[in-house]
Coordinates of all heavy atoms in Angstrom, one line a residue:
M1 N 196.2 77.3 -48.5 CA 196.1 76.2 -47.4 C 197.5 75.6 -47.3 O 198.3 75.6 -48.2 CB 195.1 75.1 -47.9 CG 193.7 75.5 -47.8 SD 192.5 74.1 -48.4 CE 192.7 73.1 -47.0
P2 N 197.8 75.1 -46.2 CA 199.1 74.6 -45.9 C 199.3 73.1 -46.4 O 198.5 72.5 -46.9 CB 199.0 74.6 -44.3 CG 197.7 74.3 -43.9 CD 196.9 75.0 -44.9
E3 N 200.6 72.7 -46.2 CA 200.9 71.2 -46.5 C 200.1 70.5 -45.6 O 199.8 70.8 -44.4 CB 202.4 71.1 -46.1 CG 202.9 69.7 -46.4 CD 204.4 69.6 -46.1 OE1 205.0 70.6 -45.6 OE2 205.0 68.6 -46.4
T4 N 199.6 69.3 -46.1 CA 198.8 68.4 -45.3 C 199.4 67.1 -45.1 O 200.0 66.6 -46.0 CB 197.4 68.3 -45.8 OG1 196.5 67.5 -44.9 CG2 197.4 67.7 -47.2
H5 N 199.2 66.6 -43.9 CA 199.7 65.2 -43.5 C 198.5 64.3 -43.2 O 198.6 63.2 -43.0 CB 200.7 65.2 -42.5 CG 201.9 66.1 -42.7 ND1 202.9 65.6 -43.6 CD2 202.2 67.2 -42.4 CE1 203.8 66.5 -43.8 NE2 203.5 67.6 -43.1
D6 N 197.4 64.9 -43.2 CA 196.1 64.2 -42.7 C 195.6 63.4 -44.0 O 195.3 64.0 -45.0 CB 195.1 65.2 -42.3 CG 193.7 64.6 -41.9 OD1 193.6 63.3 -42.1 OD2 192.9 65.4 -41.3
E7 N 195.5 62.1 -43.9 CA 195.1 61.3 -44.9 C 193.7 61.5 -45.4 O 193.3 61.2 -46.5 CB 195.3 59.8 -44.6 CG 196.7 59.4 -44.5 CD 196.9 57.9 -44.2 OE1 196.0 57.1 -44.6 OE2 198.0 57.5 -43.8
L8 N 192.9 62.2 -44.6 CA 191.4 62.6 -44.9 C 191.3 63.9 -45.5 O 190.2 64.3 -46.0 CB 190.5 62.3 -43.8 CG 190.6 60.9 -43.2 CD1 189.7 60.9 -41.9 CD2 190.1 59.9 -44.2
A9 N 192.4 64.7 -45.5 CA 192.3 66.1 -45.9 C 192.3 66.2 -47.3 O 192.8 65.3 -48.1 CB 193.6 67.0 -45.4
V10 N 191.7 67.2 -47.9 CA 191.6 67.5 -49.4 C 193.0 67.9 -49.8 O 193.6 68.8 -49.3 CB 190.6 68.5 -49.7 CG1 190.7 68.9 -51.3 CG2 189.3 68.1 -49.4
V11 N 193.6 67.3 -50.8 CA 194.8 67.7 -51.3 C 194.7 68.0 -52.8 O 194.2 67.3 -53.6 CB 195.8 66.5 -51.2 CG1 197.2 66.8 -51.9 CG2 196.1 66.1 -49.8
D12 N 195.0 69.3 -53.1 CA 194.8 69.7 -54.5 C 196.1 69.5 -55.3 O 195.9 69.3 -56.5 CB 194.6 71.3 -54.5 CG 193.3 71.6 -53.7 OD1 192.3 71.1 -54.1 OD2 193.4 72.4 -52.7
L13 N 197.2 69.5 -54.7 CA 198.5 69.4 -55.4 C 199.5 68.4 -54.7 O 199.7 68.5 -53.6 CB 199.2 70.7 -55.6 CG 200.6 70.7 -56.2 CD1 200.5 70.3 -57.7 CD2 201.3 72.1 -56.0
S14 N 199.9 67.4 -55.4 CA 201.0 66.5 -54.9 C 202.3 66.8 -55.7 O 202.3 66.7 -57.0 CB 200.6 65.1 -55.2 OG 199.5 64.7 -54.4
V15 N 203.4 67.1 -55.1 CA 204.7 67.2 -55.7 C 205.4 66.0 -55.5 O 205.6 65.6 -54.3 CB 205.4 68.4 -55.0 CG1 206.8 68.6 -55.7 CG2 204.6 69.7 -55.2
V16 N 205.8 65.3 -56.5 CA 206.6 64.0 -56.5 C 208.0 64.3 -56.7 O 208.4 64.9 -57.8 CB 206.0 63.0 -57.5 CG1 206.8 61.7 -57.5 CG2 204.6 62.7 -57.2
L17 N 208.9 63.9 -55.8 CA 210.4 64.2 -56.0 C 211.1 62.8 -55.9 O 211.3 62.2 -55.0 CB 210.8 65.1 -54.8 CG 212.2 65.3 -54.7 CD1 212.6 66.2 -55.9 CD2 212.5 66.1 -53.4
P18 N 211.4 62.4 -57.2 CA 212.2 61.2 -57.2 C 213.6 61.4 -56.8 O 214.2 62.5 -57.1 CB 212.4 60.8 -58.7 CG 211.3 61.7 -59.4 CD 211.1 62.8 -58.5
A19 N 214.3 60.5 -55.9 CA 215.5 60.7 -55.4 C 216.3 59.4 -55.4 O 215.8 58.3 -55.0 CB 215.5 61.3 -54.0
F20 N 217.6 59.6 -55.8 CA 218.5 58.4 -55.7 C 219.8 59.0 -55.2 O 220.6 59.8 -55.8 CB 218.7 57.7 -57.1 CG 219.7 56.6 -57.1 CD1 219.5 55.4 -56.4 CD2 221.0 56.7 -57.7 CE1 220.4 54.4 -56.4 CE2 221.9 55.7 -57.6 CZ 221.7 54.6 -57.0
N21 N 220.3 58.5 -54.1 CA 221.6 59.0 -53.4 C 221.7 60.4 -53.4 O 222.6 61.0 -53.8 CB 222.8 58.3 -54.1 CG 222.9 56.7 -53.9 OD1 222.3 56.3 -52.8 ND2 223.6 56.0 -54.6
E22 N 220.7 61.0 -52.8 CA 220.6 62.6 -52.7 C 220.7 63.0 -51.2 O 220.0 64.0 -50.9 CB 219.3 63.0 -53.4 CG 219.3 62.8 -54.9 CD 220.3 63.8 -55.6 OE1 220.8 64.7 -55.0 OE2 220.6 63.4 -56.8
Q23 N 221.3 62.2 -50.4 CA 221.3 62.7 -49.0 C 221.8 64.0 -48.7 O 221.3 64.7 -47.7 CB 222.1 61.7 -48.1 CG 223.6 61.7 -48.2 CD 224.3 60.7 -47.4 OE1 223.7 59.8 -46.8 NE2 225.6 60.8 -47.4
E24 N 222.6 64.6 -49.5 CA 223.2 65.9 -49.2 C 222.3 67.0 -49.8 O 222.4 68.1 -49.3 CB 224.6 66.1 -49.9 CG 225.6 65.1 -49.5 CD 225.9 65.2 -48.0 OE1 225.9 66.3 -47.5 OE2 226.1 64.2 -47.4
A25 N 221.4 66.7 -50.6 CA 220.4 67.7 -51.2 C 219.0 67.6 -50.8 O 218.3 68.6 -50.9 CB 220.6 67.6 -52.8
V26 N 218.5 66.5 -50.5 CA 217.0 66.2 -50.3 C 216.4 67.1 -49.4 O 215.3 67.8 -49.6 CB 216.8 64.8 -50.0 CG1 217.2 64.3 -48.6 CG2 215.4 64.4 -50.3
E27 N 217.0 67.4 -48.2 CA 216.4 68.3 -47.3 C 216.3 69.8 -47.7 O 215.3 70.4 -47.6 CB 217.1 68.3 -45.9 CG 217.1 66.9 -45.2 CD 218.1 66.8 -44.1 OE1 219.3 67.0 -44.4 OE2 217.7 66.6 -42.9
V28 N 217.3 70.2 -48.5 CA 217.3 71.6 -49.0 C 216.2 71.6 -50.1 O 215.5 72.7 -50.1 CB 218.7 71.9 -49.5 CG1 218.7 73.3 -50.4 CG2 219.7 72.0 -48.5
V29 N 216.2 70.7 -50.9 CA 215.2 70.6 -52.0 C 213.7 70.7 -51.4 O 212.9 71.4 -51.9 CB 215.4 69.5 -53.0 CG1 214.2 69.5 -54.0 CG2 216.7 69.7 -53.7
I30 N 213.5 69.8 -50.3 CA 212.2 69.9 -49.8 C 211.8 71.2 -49.2 O 210.7 71.8 -49.4 CB 212.1 68.7 -48.6 CG1 212.1 67.4 -49.3 CG2 210.9 69.0 -47.8 CD1 212.3 66.2 -48.3
E31 N 212.7 71.8 -48.5 CA 212.5 73.2 -48.1 C 212.3 74.2 -49.1 O 211.4 75.2 -49.0 CB 213.7 73.6 -47.1 CG 213.6 72.8 -45.8 CD 212.3 72.7 -45.1 OE1 211.6 73.7 -44.9 OE2 212.0 71.6 -44.6
E32 N 212.9 74.0 -50.1 CA 212.7 75.0 -51.3 C 211.4 74.8 -51.9 O 210.7 75.8 -52.2 CB 213.8 74.8 -52.4 CG 215.1 75.3 -52.0 CD 216.3 75.0 -53.0 OE1 216.0 74.2 -54.0 OE2 217.4 75.6 -52.8
I33 N 210.9 73.6 -52.0 CA 209.5 73.3 -52.5 C 208.5 73.9 -51.6 O 207.6 74.6 -52.0 CB 209.3 71.8 -52.7 CG1 210.2 71.3 -53.8 CG2 207.8 71.5 -53.0 CD1 210.1 69.8 -54.0
R34 N 208.7 73.7 -50.3 CA 207.7 74.2 -49.2 C 207.8 75.7 -49.4 O 206.7 76.3 -49.3 CB 208.2 73.8 -48.0 CG 207.9 72.4 -47.5 CD 208.2 72.1 -46.1 NE 207.6 70.9 -45.6 CZ 208.2 69.9 -44.9 NH1 209.5 70.2 -44.5 NH2 207.6 68.8 -44.6
A35 N 208.9 76.4 -49.5 CA 208.9 77.9 -49.6 C 208.1 78.3 -50.9 O 207.3 79.3 -50.8 CB 210.3 78.3 -49.7
A36 N 208.3 77.6 -51.9 CA 207.6 78.0 -53.2 C 206.1 77.8 -53.1 O 205.3 78.5 -53.8 CB 208.2 77.2 -54.4
L37 N 205.6 76.8 -52.3 CA 204.2 76.5 -52.2 C 203.5 77.4 -51.2 O 202.3 77.2 -51.0 CB 204.0 75.0 -52.0 CG 204.4 74.1 -53.2 CD1 204.3 72.7 -52.9 CD2 203.5 74.4 -54.3
Q38 N 204.2 78.2 -50.4 CA 203.6 78.9 -49.4 C 202.4 79.7 -50.0 O 201.3 80.2 -49.2 CB 204.6 79.8 -48.7 CG 205.5 79.0 -47.8 CD 204.7 78.1 -46.8 OE1 203.8 78.6 -46.1 NE2 205.1 76.7 -46.9
E39 N 202.5 80.2 -51.2 CA 201.5 81.0 -51.8 C 200.4 80.2 -52.5 O 199.4 80.8 -53.0 CB 202.1 82.0 -52.8 CG 203.2 82.9 -52.3 CD 202.7 83.9 -51.2 OE1 201.5 84.4 -51.4 OE2 203.3 84.0 -50.2
W40 N 200.5 78.9 -52.6 CA 199.5 78.1 -53.2 C 198.2 78.2 -52.4 O 198.3 78.1 -51.2 CB 200.1 76.6 -53.2 CG 199.1 75.6 -53.8 CD1 198.4 74.7 -53.0 CD2 198.8 75.5 -55.2 NE1 197.5 74.0 -53.9 CE2 197.8 74.4 -55.2 CE3 199.2 75.9 -56.3 CZ2 197.3 73.9 -56.4 CZ3 198.7 75.5 -57.5 CH2 197.7 74.5 -57.6
G41 N 197.1 78.2 -53.2 CA 195.9 78.5 -52.4 C 195.3 77.2 -52.0 O 194.2 77.4 -51.2
G42 N 195.7 76.0 -52.3 CA 195.0 74.8 -51.9 C 195.9 74.0 -51.0 O 197.0 74.3 -50.6
G43 N 195.3 72.7 -50.7 CA 196.1 71.9 -49.9 C 197.2 71.2 -50.7 O 196.9 70.9 -51.9
W44 N 198.3 70.8 -50.2 CA 199.3 70.2 -51.0 C 200.2 69.2 -50.1 O 200.1 69.2 -48.8 CB 200.2 71.2 -51.6 CG 200.8 72.3 -50.7 CD1 200.2 73.4 -50.3 CD2 202.1 72.2 -49.9 NE1 200.9 74.2 -49.4 CE2 202.2 73.4 -49.2 CE3 203.1 71.3 -49.9 CZ2 203.2 73.8 -48.3 CZ3 204.2 71.6 -49.0 CH2 204.2 72.8 -48.3
E45 N 200.9 68.2 -50.7 CA 201.7 67.3 -50.1 C 203.0 67.2 -50.9 O 203.0 67.5 -52.2 CB 201.0 66.0 -50.0 CG 200.8 65.3 -51.3 CD 200.1 63.9 -51.2 OE1 200.0 63.4 -50.1 OE2 199.7 63.5 -52.3
I46 N 204.1 66.8 -50.4 CA 205.3 66.4 -50.9 C 205.5 64.9 -50.7 O 205.4 64.4 -49.6 CB 206.5 67.2 -50.4 CG1 206.3 68.7 -50.6 CG2 207.8 66.8 -51.1 CD1 207.3 69.6 -50.0
I47 N 205.8 64.2 -51.9 CA 206.1 62.9 -51.8 C 207.5 62.7 -52.4 O 207.8 63.0 -53.5 CB 205.1 61.9 -52.7 CG1 203.8 62.2 -52.2 CG2 205.5 60.6 -52.6 CD1 202.7 61.7 -53.2
V48 N 208.4 62.1 -51.5 CA 209.8 61.7 -52.0 C 209.8 60.2 -52.2 O 209.4 59.4 -51.4 CB 210.8 62.2 -50.8 CG1 212.2 61.6 -51.3 CG2 210.9 63.6 -50.7
V49 N 210.2 59.9 -53.5 CA 210.4 58.5 -53.8 C 211.9 58.1 -53.8 O 212.6 58.6 -54.7 CB 209.7 58.2 -55.1 CG1 209.8 56.6 -55.5 CG2 208.4 58.6 -55.2
D50 N 212.3 57.4 -52.8 CA 213.7 57.0 -52.7 C 213.8 55.7 -53.5 O 213.3 54.7 -53.3 CB 214.1 56.7 -51.3 CG 215.4 56.1 -51.1 OD1 216.4 56.8 -51.5 OD2 215.6 55.0 -50.7
D51 N 214.6 55.8 -54.6 CA 214.8 54.8 -55.5 C 216.0 53.9 -55.3 O 216.9 53.8 -56.1 CB 215.0 55.3 -57.0 CG 214.7 54.5 -58.1 OD1 214.1 53.5 -57.9 OD2 215.2 54.7 -59.3
A52 N 215.8 53.2 -54.1 CA 216.8 52.2 -53.7 C 218.2 52.9 -53.4 O 219.1 52.2 -53.7 CB 216.9 51.0 -54.6
S53 N 218.2 54.0 -52.8 CA 219.5 54.7 -52.5 C 220.3 53.9 -51.5 O 219.8 53.2 -50.7 CB 219.2 56.1 -51.9 OG 218.5 56.9 -52.7
S54 N 221.6 53.9 -51.7 CA 222.5 53.3 -50.8 C 223.0 54.2 -49.7 O 223.8 53.8 -48.8 CB 223.7 52.7 -51.6 OG 224.4 53.6 -52.1
D55 N 222.6 55.4 -49.7 CA 223.0 56.4 -48.6 C 221.7 56.7 -47.7 O 220.8 55.8 -47.6 CB 223.4 57.8 -49.2 CG 222.4 58.5 -50.1 OD1 221.3 58.0 -50.1 OD2 222.8 59.4 -50.6
H56 N 221.7 57.9 -47.1 CA 220.6 58.1 -46.1 C 219.6 59.0 -46.7 O 218.9 59.8 -45.9 CB 221.2 58.7 -44.8 CG 222.1 57.8 -44.2 ND1 221.7 56.7 -43.4 CD2 223.5 57.7 -44.1 CE1 222.7 56.0 -43.0 NE2 223.8 56.6 -43.3
T57 N 219.3 59.0 -48.0 CA 218.3 59.9 -48.6 C 217.0 59.7 -47.9 O 216.3 60.7 -47.6 CB 218.2 59.6 -50.2 OG1 219.5 59.9 -50.7 CG2 217.1 60.3 -50.7
A58 N 216.4 58.5 -47.8 CA 215.1 58.2 -47.3 C 215.0 58.8 -45.8 O 214.0 59.4 -45.4 CB 214.8 56.7 -47.3
E59 N 216.0 58.4 -45.0 CA 216.0 58.9 -43.5 C 216.0 60.4 -43.5 O 215.2 61.1 -42.7 CB 217.1 58.4 -42.8 CG 217.1 56.9 -42.7 CD 217.7 56.1 -43.9 OE1 218.1 56.7 -44.9 OE2 218.0 54.9 -43.7
R60 N 216.7 61.0 -44.4 CA 216.7 62.6 -44.3 C 215.5 63.1 -44.7 O 214.9 64.2 -44.2 CB 218.0 63.0 -45.0 CG 219.2 62.8 -44.3 CD 220.4 63.5 -44.9 NE 221.6 63.2 -44.1 CZ 222.8 63.6 -44.3 NH1 223.0 64.4 -45.4 NH2 223.9 63.3 -43.6
A61 N 214.8 62.5 -45.8 CA 213.5 63.0 -46.3 C 212.5 62.9 -45.2 O 211.7 63.7 -44.9 CB 213.2 62.3 -47.6
E62 N 212.5 61.6 -44.6 CA 211.5 61.3 -43.5 C 211.6 62.3 -42.3 O 210.7 62.7 -41.8 CB 211.7 59.9 -43.0 CG 211.2 58.8 -43.9 CD 211.6 57.4 -43.6 OE1 212.5 57.3 -42.9 OE2 211.0 56.6 -44.1
S63 N 212.9 62.8 -42.1 CA 213.1 63.7 -41.0 C 212.4 65.0 -41.2 O 212.2 65.8 -40.2 CB 214.6 63.9 -40.7 OG 215.2 64.8 -41.7
T64 N 212.0 65.3 -42.3 CA 211.3 66.6 -42.7 C 209.8 66.5 -42.6 O 209.1 67.5 -42.7 CB 211.7 67.1 -44.2 OG1 211.2 66.2 -45.1 CG2 213.2 67.2 -44.4
G65 N 209.4 65.3 -42.5 CA 207.9 65.1 -42.2 C 207.1 64.9 -43.6 O 205.9 64.7 -43.5
V66 N 207.8 64.8 -44.7 CA 207.0 64.5 -46.0 C 206.8 63.0 -46.1 O 207.4 62.2 -45.4 CB 207.9 65.0 -47.2 CG1 208.2 66.5 -47.1 CG2 209.2 64.2 -47.3
R67 N 206.0 62.6 -47.1 CA 205.7 61.2 -47.3 C 206.8 60.7 -48.0 O 207.4 61.3 -49.0 CB 204.4 61.1 -48.2 CG 203.1 61.6 -47.4 CD 201.9 61.5 -48.3 NE 201.6 60.1 -48.7 CZ 200.8 59.6 -49.5 NH1 200.1 60.6 -50.3 NH2 200.4 58.4 -49.7
V68 N 207.3 59.5 -47.7 CA 208.5 58.9 -48.3 C 208.0 57.4 -48.7 O 207.4 56.7 -48.0 CB 209.6 58.8 -47.3 CG1 210.9 58.1 -48.0 CG2 210.1 60.2 -47.0
V69 N 208.3 57.2 -50.1 CA 208.1 55.8 -50.6 C 209.6 55.3 -50.8 O 210.4 55.9 -51.4 CB 207.4 55.9 -51.9 CG1 207.3 54.4 -52.6 CG2 206.0 56.5 -51.9
R70 N 209.8 54.0 -50.3 CA 211.1 53.5 -50.6 C 211.0 52.3 -51.5 O 210.2 51.4 -51.2 CB 211.6 52.9 -49.2 CG 211.9 53.9 -48.1 CD 212.5 53.3 -47.0 NE 212.7 54.2 -45.9 CZ 213.8 54.2 -45.1 NH1 214.8 53.3 -45.4 NH2 214.0 55.1 -44.2
R71 N 211.7 52.4 -52.7 CA 211.6 51.4 -53.7 C 212.9 50.4 -53.2 O 213.9 50.9 -52.9 CB 211.9 51.9 -55.1 CG 210.7 52.8 -55.6 CD 210.8 53.3 -56.9 NE 211.4 52.4 -57.8 CZ 210.7 51.4 -58.6 NH1 209.5 51.4 -58.4 NH2 211.5 50.8 -59.4
S72 N 212.6 49.2 -53.4 CA 213.6 48.3 -52.9 C 214.6 47.9 -54.1 O 215.7 47.5 -53.8 CB 213.0 46.9 -52.6 OG 212.2 46.3 -53.6
K73 N 214.2 48.3 -55.4 CA 215.2 48.0 -56.5 C 215.1 49.4 -57.3 O 214.0 49.9 -57.6 CB 214.6 46.9 -57.2 CG 215.5 46.6 -58.5 CD 214.9 45.3 -59.2 CE 215.7 45.1 -60.6 NZ 215.2 44.0 -61.3
N74 N 216.3 49.6 -57.7 CA 216.4 51.0 -58.5 C 215.8 50.7 -59.8 O 216.2 49.8 -60.6 CB 218.0 51.3 -58.6 CG 218.1 52.7 -59.4 OD1 218.1 52.6 -60.6 ND2 218.2 53.7 -58.7
G75 N 214.9 51.6 -60.2 CA 214.1 51.4 -61.5 C 214.4 52.7 -62.4 O 213.8 52.8 -63.4
G76 N 215.1 53.6 -61.9 CA 215.2 54.9 -62.6 C 214.2 55.9 -62.3 O 213.2 55.6 -61.6
A77 N 214.5 57.1 -62.9 CA 213.5 58.2 -62.6 C 212.1 58.0 -63.1 O 211.2 58.3 -62.4 CB 214.0 59.4 -63.3
G78 N 211.8 57.3 -64.1 CA 210.5 57.0 -64.7 C 209.8 56.2 -63.7 O 208.6 56.4 -63.4
A79 N 210.4 55.0 -63.3 CA 209.8 54.1 -62.3 C 209.5 54.8 -61.0 O 208.4 54.6 -60.3 CB 210.6 52.9 -62.1
A80 N 210.4 55.6 -60.6 CA 210.3 56.4 -59.3 C 209.0 57.4 -59.4 O 208.2 57.4 -58.5 CB 211.5 57.1 -58.9
R81 N 208.9 58.0 -60.5 CA 207.8 58.9 -60.7 C 206.5 58.2 -60.7 O 205.5 58.6 -60.2 CB 207.9 59.6 -62.1 CG 208.9 60.7 -62.1 CD 208.9 61.6 -63.4 NE 210.1 62.3 -63.7 CZ 211.1 62.0 -64.4 NH1 211.0 60.8 -65.1 NH2 212.1 62.8 -64.4
K82 N 206.5 57.0 -61.4 CA 205.2 56.2 -61.3 C 204.8 55.8 -60.0 O 203.6 55.8 -59.7 CB 205.4 54.9 -62.3 CG 205.4 55.3 -63.7 CD 205.6 54.1 -64.6 CE 205.7 54.4 -66.0 NZ 206.0 53.2 -66.9
S83 N 205.8 55.4 -59.2 CA 205.6 55.1 -57.8 C 204.9 56.2 -57.0 O 204.0 56.0 -56.2 CB 206.8 54.6 -57.0 OG 207.3 53.4 -57.7
G84 N 205.5 57.4 -57.2 CA 204.9 58.5 -56.5 C 203.6 58.9 -57.0 O 202.6 59.2 -56.2
I85 N 203.4 58.8 -58.3 CA 202.0 59.2 -58.8 C 201.0 58.2 -58.3 O 199.9 58.6 -58.0 CB 202.0 59.2 -60.3 CG1 202.8 60.4 -60.9 CG2 200.7 59.2 -61.0 CD1 203.2 60.4 -62.4
S86 N 201.4 57.0 -58.1 CA 200.4 55.9 -57.8 C 199.8 56.2 -56.4 O 198.8 55.7 -56.0 CB 201.0 54.6 -57.9 OG 202.0 54.3 -56.8
I87 N 200.6 56.8 -55.6 CA 200.1 57.2 -54.2 C 199.7 58.6 -53.9 O 199.2 59.0 -52.8 CB 201.1 56.7 -53.1 CG1 202.3 57.6 -53.1 CG2 201.4 55.2 -53.2 CD1 203.1 57.6 -51.8
A88 N 199.9 59.4 -55.0 CA 199.5 60.9 -54.9 C 198.1 61.0 -54.7 O 197.3 60.3 -55.2 CB 200.0 61.6 -56.1
R89 N 197.8 62.0 -53.8 CA 196.3 62.2 -53.4 C 195.8 63.5 -54.1 O 194.6 63.7 -54.0 CB 196.1 62.4 -52.0 CG 196.4 61.1 -51.2 CD 196.2 61.1 -49.7 NE 197.2 62.0 -49.2 CZ 196.9 62.9 -48.2 NH1 195.7 63.0 -47.8 NH2 197.8 63.7 -47.7
G90 N 196.7 64.3 -54.7 CA 196.3 65.5 -55.3 C 195.6 65.4 -56.6 O 195.9 64.4 -57.4
E91 N 194.7 66.3 -56.9 CA 194.1 66.4 -58.3 C 195.1 66.6 -59.3 O 195.0 66.2 -60.4 CB 193.0 67.5 -58.3 CG 191.7 67.0 -57.7 CD 190.5 67.9 -58.0 OE1 190.4 68.2 -59.2 OE2 189.9 68.3 -57.1
L92 N 196.1 67.4 -58.8 CA 197.3 67.9 -59.8 C 198.5 67.2 -59.2 O 198.7 67.1 -58.0 CB 197.5 69.4 -59.8 CG 196.3 70.2 -60.3 CD1 196.5 71.7 -60.0 CD2 195.9 69.9 -61.8
V93 N 199.4 66.8 -60.2 CA 200.6 66.2 -59.7 C 201.8 66.9 -60.4 O 201.7 67.1 -61.8 CB 200.8 64.6 -60.0 CG1 202.1 64.1 -59.7 CG2 199.7 63.9 -59.4
A94 N 202.8 67.4 -59.6 CA 203.8 68.2 -60.3 C 205.1 67.4 -59.9 O 205.3 66.7 -58.9 CB 204.0 69.5 -59.6
M95 N 206.1 67.5 -60.8 CA 207.4 66.8 -60.6 C 208.5 67.8 -60.9 O 208.4 68.8 -61.6 CB 207.6 65.6 -61.4 CG 206.6 64.5 -61.0 SD 206.8 63.2 -62.1 CE 205.1 63.2 -62.7

């Protein structure tokens, strides 16, 4: 099954990607994750958690169509992961 953006669709796997000032890499990483998941048999989603970046990380992630969470205060990778997990819809969560 493909990537899903439908809030009512079944999501088997949520991939949470914490990001801080990653504007140069975030789009490439998202495309690499998508390529790796093409063989996944279930529905999946990608969630980028922008951890209060001062660059254009969130905007570049949003341009790819993935779900983006914007944290207003930098809390580090652990806090970013928790934010992503809290909105993940998949039965499985990968990071």
Side-chain angles (χ1 to χ4, degrees):
M1 291 180 73
E3 180 174 11
T4 183
H5 301 283
D6 180 352
E7 291 186 22
L8 300 177
V10 174
V11 177
D12 300 300
L13 175 66
S14 296
V15 179
V16 176
L17 179 63
F20 176 71
N21 289 340
E22 293 290 346
Q23 71 178 10
E24 300 302 322
V26 71
E27 293 164 303
V28 172
V29 172
I30 290 167
E31 290 312 313
E32 289 174 350
I33 293 168
R34 282 183 168 142
L37 290 174
Q38 290 307 307
E39 301 300 318
W40 177 259
W44 51 274
E45 66 178 349
I46 299 171
I47 302 167
V48 174
V49 182
D50 177 60
D51 198 20
S53 296
S54 60
D55 64 2
H56 298 286
T57 298
E59 292 88 348
R60 291 193 178 178
E62 287 170 341
S63 75
T64 69
V66 299
R67 294 177 69 192
V68 177
V69 175
R70 292 180 185 229
R71 291 178 44 84
S72 60
K73 182 178 177 185
N74 183 279
R81 286 185 194 102
K82 287 178 185 176
S83 294
I85 291 168
S86 73
I87 67 155
R89 295 182 295 136
E91 281 192 48
L92 301 171
V93 177
M95 289 176 245

